[in-house]
Amino acid sequence: MACPVPLPDRPPRAKDAPTALDGLLVIDFTRVVAGPACTQTLGDFGAEVIKIENPEGGDDTRAYEHAEVAGESAAFISLNRNKRGIALDLAIPQACEVARDLIAKADVVVENFSAGVMGRFGLDYASVSPANPRLIYCSISAYGRNGPFAWRPGFDPITQAESGFMSLNGFPDGPPVRTGPPVVDLATGMSACNAILLALMARERLGRGQYVEVALYDMAMAMTGFYGMAYLMNGSNPGRFGNSPNGSPSVGVYEASDGPFYIACANDRLYRRLVTDVLGRPELMTDARFVTRKERWANKEKLRTIIAEVFASDRLENWMAKMKKANIPAGYLRSVEQGFNAPEARERDRLSRIPHPKAGWVPNIETPITMQLTPTVTPVAAPVLGQHTNEVLRDILGYSESRIAALGKAGAFGKSAE
């Protein structure tokens, strides 16, 4: 496979290193982004994650268009590492029986179906928890599982729009802009993972599991952060500030004579170093219009014009060297290509390649979590559709070959498996 970034094989994991979640069995009914992101993190740290997919096409992200290798999409590969995949047609009663058998042995179930789907199959928390009272059952949805909005379908950009989050993104003279990557989905996945880990900690003390829930809308609202809190305090509707929060003139994108960069001098101490040690304009520290952060904000357009003119007078690398020497927070404004080829990515071993049953190997972006004592497991690529069906039913449920064959004949694994 051709790859624009030279990818090394992943360094081997220490053979005697334990994993954080060894022995944890997770049954994963999720698809698209938020749910798979949650369960991938659990799998990265040692949980046994069994991903259940509809045999007719599987997870929607398998068909996403960004890029593919050997028929597997970039979206699916990026979100389903370290899982074993099985195909079950839950419209077939025998397949639901298999799912219930798996749940009965599980520590965790994660689902993000539309409201009512798991209940229709008899796989909702109320139906399965009596047989497994230690079960942690996590539901991920757009608007929650209860209340008047529970039945509304919703996706990341819809909740960005409706929560007010999207109104904060973009420039003052332009329309609201959704984030490029599905940041609400990804943050919801992280929070769902946190919720599961919290419930597991509580289970150690209380001796029983519980139902936990995370909703995209709730996450989007929480992610308005201090802008949302400021509105609750002063009643002023926050606007869009482009690349500079609150229009701060010493935070944002500037242009050197040969390229852009980003600086973040958000306090008086950093501003003083910027104007004296980097720009060579100490009078900008004593000028009454710019002495404090509030004055700088009130006169932001004048100050931004002055700073921009100075930066435009010299080359990017000269400015970056000066800012590095002065310990000013600054960074190159990179494309994805530049970022993935940057020394920060290479030196921190963020990228590698891992084996794949159809493609030979696929790219791998490392989890952002580092644990010294219990590092991530050796990564296994996302499964092809139904790859581990027979294996899981034999190894985890102890099904005989004849029973597995009977299930296949009944259509439990899809029409192609009959």
Side-chain angles (χ1 to χ4, degrees), residues 164-403:
F165 178 86
M166 192 182 293
S167 75
L168 301 171
N169 301 322
F171 289 89
D173 57 351
V177 178
R178 62 162 287 181
T179 62
V183 65
V184 173
D185 265 335
L186 293 171
T188 300
M190 294 177 194
S191 290
C193 187
N194 285 341
I196 290 166
L197 297 176
L198 289 168
L200 288 168
M201 290 291 291
R203 188 175 75 172
E204 290 299 305
R205 294 186 297 106
L206 304 176
R208 62 166 298 159
Q210 61 180 297
Y211 177 82
V212 300
E213 180 187 346
V214 186
L216 271 67
Y217 185 88
D218 300 350
M219 180 55 55
M221 178 171 284
M223 288 174 64
T224 64
F226 45 77
Y227 293 108
M229 184 59 70
Y231 163 72
L232 293 175
M233 289 181 172
N234 62 23
S236 178
N237 194 34
R240 292 180 291 285
F241 306 103
N243 290 313
S244 301
N246 294 327
S248 171
S250 55
V251 176
V253 175
Y254 282 94
E255 293 276 347
S257 62
D258 58 345
F261 59 96
Y262 196 101
I263 61 170
C265 298
N267 58 44
D268 290 341
R269 173 176 50 82
L270 290 171
Y271 174 74
R272 183 181 303 111
R273 293 210 302 262
L274 173 68
V275 298
T276 56
D277 299 345
V278 176
L279 301 180
R281 296 290 297 272
E283 73 276 12
L284 297 177
M285 193 66 236
T286 56
D287 189 314
R289 298 172 297 174
F290 312 132
V291 170
T292 67
R293 179 175 171 137
K294 287 186 177 181
E295 271 91 25
R296 291 194 292 276
W297 183 85
N299 296 282
K300 56 183 177 293
E301 297 305 329
K302 295 176 182 177
L303 181 56
R304 180 171 290 277
T305 298
I306 294 170
I307 294 174
E309 288 176 352
V310 178
F311 276 134
S313 68
D314 203 353
R315 296 178 62 249
L316 174 61
E317 290 303 330
N318 292 336
W319 288 122
M320 293 300 285
K322 288 182 179 180
M323 287 187 283
K324 181 178 180 181
K325 183 177 180 180
N327 202 24
I328 294 293
Y332 298 97
L333 191 61
R334 293 169 173 153
S335 65
V336 171
E337 179 182 10
Q338 291 168 330
F340 276 48
N341 283 281
E344 290 88 346
R346 292 195 305 270
E347 297 301 323
R348 289 184 53 75
D349 298 321
R350 292 294 85 202
L351 304 172
S352 64
R353 65 182 197 172
I354 58 177
H356 186 272
K358 288 172 65 177
W361 61 269
V362 292
N364 182 55
I365 303 173
E366 290 292 322
T367 177
I369 302 170
T370 299
M371 299 182 72
Q372 184 180 34
L373 179 62
T374 55
T376 58
V377 299
T378 299
V380 175
V384 300
L385 183 57
Q387 179 180 345
H388 304 102
T389 302
N390 289 8
E391 176 185 308
V392 166
L393 270 55
R394 281 196 309 265
D395 296 350
I396 293 182
L397 297 182
Y399 285 6
S400 65
E401 293 296 334
S402 60
R403 184 172 182 184

Side-chain angles (χ1 to χ4, degrees), residues 26-50:
V26 179
I27 308 303
D28 178 5
F29 291 91
T30 70
R31 69 258 189 261
V32 191
V33 179
C38 165
T39 53
Q40 178 168 266
T41 300
L42 298 174
D44 285 344
F45 288 92
E48 172 78 4
V49 179
I50 308 300

